[in-house]
Amino acid sequence: MLNEFTHTDADQELLSLIKTGSETAFQQLFQRHWEKLYVAASKKLGDQELAQELVHDLFLDLWRRREELSIQHLPAYLGKALQYRIINKLISKKDKFFFELLENTEESLYKADQALLEKDLTSLIISWAEILPERRRQIFIQYYLHHLTTQEIAENLQISQKTVQNQLSISVQDLRAHFGHLLALLILLDETL
């Protein structure tokens, strides 16, 4: 257990150095986490080259966004970000099994199957929200999961209502861009249940 805390503390220290532009710290962080992420991606995708590409893209994005990111627990962040990238890749590849599953939901004879799929899609959206910038994630969750008004969110976060509305708009645009066809399916499921 002590090792885990030491490892996490070292990650936080490296992240602090990366924010200042330290390429050495970035390389150390990459070496520390690359293999574990690569193995996980390879297992899920069944394609080593694609897994390597996704992990490299993940770290490249981490480097590009280093100044704006606020990461509390790096292994959890990297795991969720990789999961998000894998899902996006499967969607863009139009993985046959994945889309057959989605296209046949209306034919499902069991509402339990539909409820399970709805739960999976909701989990997918929540996973997506976890990699949003901190403030945008807070606003998204309070609005869509806790059903607060934009005014209530503005008061809770001590920001303007217009800022809340803008952040929600950006979130919805991004959500539509990534999961538009899944959201339509989720709405269909909601109407049939």
Side-chain angles (χ1 to χ4, degrees):
M1 189 106 159
L2 184 59
N3 262 347
E4 185 178 320
F5 289 117
T6 305
H7 194 67
T8 302
D9 291 341
D11 284 343
Q12 290 305 115
E13 189 175 318
L14 288 172
L15 283 170
S16 294
L17 292 170
I18 289 168
K19 275 192 175 204
T20 66
S22 171
E23 291 179 21
T24 304
F26 180 74
Q27 289 171 350
Q28 287 178 6
L29 194 74
F30 178 85
Q31 291 301 321
R32 179 176 286 184
H33 295 281
W34 181 86
E35 186 175 357
K36 186 175 182 180
L37 293 169
Y38 168 74
V39 169
S42 290
K43 285 180 182 176
K44 290 184 180 190
L45 293 168
D47 183 335
Q48 293 177 345
E49 281 184 43
L50 184 57
Q52 184 176 3
E53 179 185 325
L54 288 181
V55 174
H56 281 200
D57 287 349
L58 171 62
F59 278 99
L60 183 60
D61 186 56
L62 180 69
W63 177 256
R64 286 182 182 149
R65 297 176 54 209
R66 67 187 177 274
E67 293 174 357
E68 68 186 62
L69 290 175
S70 176
I71 301 170
Q72 302 303 317
H73 187 68
L74 184 67
Y77 172 84
L78 292 173
K80 288 294 183 184
L82 181 63
Q83 179 183 9
Y84 178 65
R85 287 176 184 277
I86 289 170
I87 290 167
N88 277 342
K89 187 53 76 174
L90 290 175
I91 289 170
S92 69
K93 279 178 59 178
K94 297 187 178 184
D95 184 84
K96 186 178 179 182
F97 173 76
F98 183 73
F99 278 94
E100 282 179 2
L101 176 68
L102 292 177
E103 289 169 359
N104 293 328
T105 56
E106 290 183 63
E107 298 169 15
S108 175
L109 299 175
Y110 303 101
K111 287 190 179 196
D113 289 344
Q114 291 176 339
L116 183 59
L117 183 56
E118 182 181 60
K119 181 180 174 191
D120 288 345
L121 292 173
T122 303
S123 294
L124 176 68
I125 292 168
I126 290 170
S127 294
W128 165 83
E130 289 181 20
I131 64 168
L132 291 174
E134 180 67 25
R135 183 57 55 104
R136 192 173 304 152
R137 180 177 60 243
Q138 289 173 338
I139 292 169
F140 183 86
I141 289 172
Q142 287 184 25
Y143 188 79
Y144 287 102
L145 299 179
H146 299 144
H147 308 289
L148 296 179
T149 66
T150 56
Q151 183 62 42
E152 291 170 325
I153 296 168
E155 290 170 6
N156 287 347
L157 299 177
Q158 297 178 341
I159 57 177
S160 74
Q161 186 173 3
K162 186 68 175 166
T163 300
V164 172
Q165 292 167 344
N166 288 340
Q167 291 296 311
L168 284 171
S169 177
I170 292 168
S171 296
V172 169
Q173 288 172 6
D174 188 47
L175 191 59
R176 282 186 184 138
H178 286 92
F179 304 114
H181 60 286
L182 296 177
L183 293 176
L185 179 63
L186 194 57
I187 291 168
L188 271 174
L189 288 175
D190 192 40
E191 290 173 0
T192 60
L193 293 177

